[in-house]
């Protein structure tokens, strides 16, 4: 299982969360990545944690003020990028362009989508993985794996019908039970934010989350 902790724009200390994630990953053997704000990628990567961008733009070097260039994210230490998160929704051409930019610089990619139909469309663009996240459950603490298990199983089925792409799920995930339920539904990972970024003790939250799959 792959655990991706998206820090969004939460007022947490990205380095403290990254150090906690690096420690828990080392202790348990579970693959954990942290996706901070773009400006924090390099200092998060310096902790040794696997670091992801929250987004990269469908641009090359050139006159693209305000964009997030894939090359810059990779040079800062990102190993992957999210795309089309429901809070950073993209047009189809921009998802495809962002994926090609990620490929250009060797970034792994996860394309986010709301439901199984969108997962099938996202999988057709050949990302490394897709993540189904029903927006209504995001930030609620009500885990998708418990609240709407069919959306996970149907997304796994929809992605499998398109090609060889990993399926993660997110929204409301915070505990080991939530992660175990996601795995039982066929997800190969989880995408979460508030359960760790807003936790008083991120390391304890991560330890609890990965406990069921710790080596
Ligand atoms: O990127 C993470 C997802 O939006 C889920 O957020 P959440 O764990 O706060 O529900």
């Amino acid at each position: 299982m792959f655990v991706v902790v998206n820090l969004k724009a939460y007022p947490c200390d990205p380095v403290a969360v990254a150090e906690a994630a690096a420690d828990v990953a080392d202790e348990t053997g579970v693959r954990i990545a942290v996706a901070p704000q773009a400006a924090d990628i390099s200092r998060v990567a310096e902790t040794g944690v696997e670091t992801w961008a929250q987004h990269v733009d469908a641009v090359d070097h050139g006159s693209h003020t305000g964009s997030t260039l894939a090359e810059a994210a990779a040079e800062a230490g990102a190993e992957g990028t999210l795309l089309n998160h429901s809070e950073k929704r993209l047009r189809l051409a921009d998802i495809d362009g962002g994926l090609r930019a990620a490929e250009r610089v060797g970034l792994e990619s996860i394309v986010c989508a709301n439901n199984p139909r969108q997962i099938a469309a996202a999988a057709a663009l050949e990302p490394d993985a897709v993540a189904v996240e029903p927006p209504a459950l995001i930030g609620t603490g009500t885990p998708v794996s418990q609240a709407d298990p069919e959306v996970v199983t149907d997304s796994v089925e929809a992605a499998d019908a398109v090609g060889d792409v990993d399926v993660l799920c997110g929204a409301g995930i915070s505990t080991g039970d939530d992660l175990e339920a996601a795995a039982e539904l066929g997800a190969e990972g989880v995408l979460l934010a508030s359960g760790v970024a807003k936790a008083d003790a991120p390391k304890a939250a991560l330890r609890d989350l990965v406990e069921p799959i710790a080596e």
Side-chain angles (χ1 to χ4, degrees):
M1 289 288 275
F2 184 18
V3 175
V4 181
V5 181
N6 177 6
L7 302 186
K8 300 192 177 183
Y10 285 129
C12 59
D13 176 348
V15 171
V17 174
E19 287 169 343
D23 288 350
V24 174
D26 289 346
E27 289 162 11
T28 63
V30 175
R31 185 185 178 192
I32 302 173
V34 173
Q37 286 283 301
D40 294 325
I41 287 174
S42 63
R43 65 192 183 113
V44 163
E46 281 163 12
T47 69
V49 74
E50 181 175 344
T51 304
W52 279 49
Q54 292 180 11
H55 166 77
V56 295
D57 284 298
V59 298
D60 254 304
H61 284 106
S63 53
H64 306 295
T65 305
S67 61
T68 298
L69 184 69
E71 281 81 352
E75 282 156 24
E79 297 176 60
T81 188
L82 303 176
L83 282 169
N84 195 48
H85 189 283
S86 63
E87 296 151 8
K88 180 77 177 172
R89 201 47 99 208
L90 301 176
R91 295 173 305 180
L92 185 63
D94 293 328
I95 301 171
D96 192 26
L99 283 172
R100 304 310 55 103
E103 281 168 5
R104 188 175 71 224
V105 300
L107 291 175
E108 259 190 84
S109 56
I110 297 174
V111 175
C112 301
N114 293 359
N115 56 49
R117 183 177 294 114
Q118 290 182 20
I119 284 287
L125 295 173
E126 298 180 332
D128 293 296
V130 290
V132 63
E133 293 199 308
L137 292 174
I138 290 176
T140 65
T142 302
V144 60
S145 47
Q146 316 272 354
D148 194 352
E150 289 79 29
V151 83
V152 180
T153 51
D154 291 352
S155 292
V156 171
E157 198 176 307
D160 286 352
V162 173
D164 179 21
V165 60
D166 287 346
V167 179
L168 289 78
C169 65
I173 302 268
S174 63
T175 69
D177 288 347
D178 303 340
L179 182 138
E180 210 163 27
E184 285 162 8
L185 294 168
E188 279 112 335
V190 293
L191 178 54
L192 73 157
S194 42
V196 175
K198 296 170 83 172
D200 293 334
K203 184 179 277 191
L206 275 167
R207 280 202 178 111
D208 174 59
L209 178 77
V210 304
E211 192 278 326
I213 58 170
E215 289 170 359

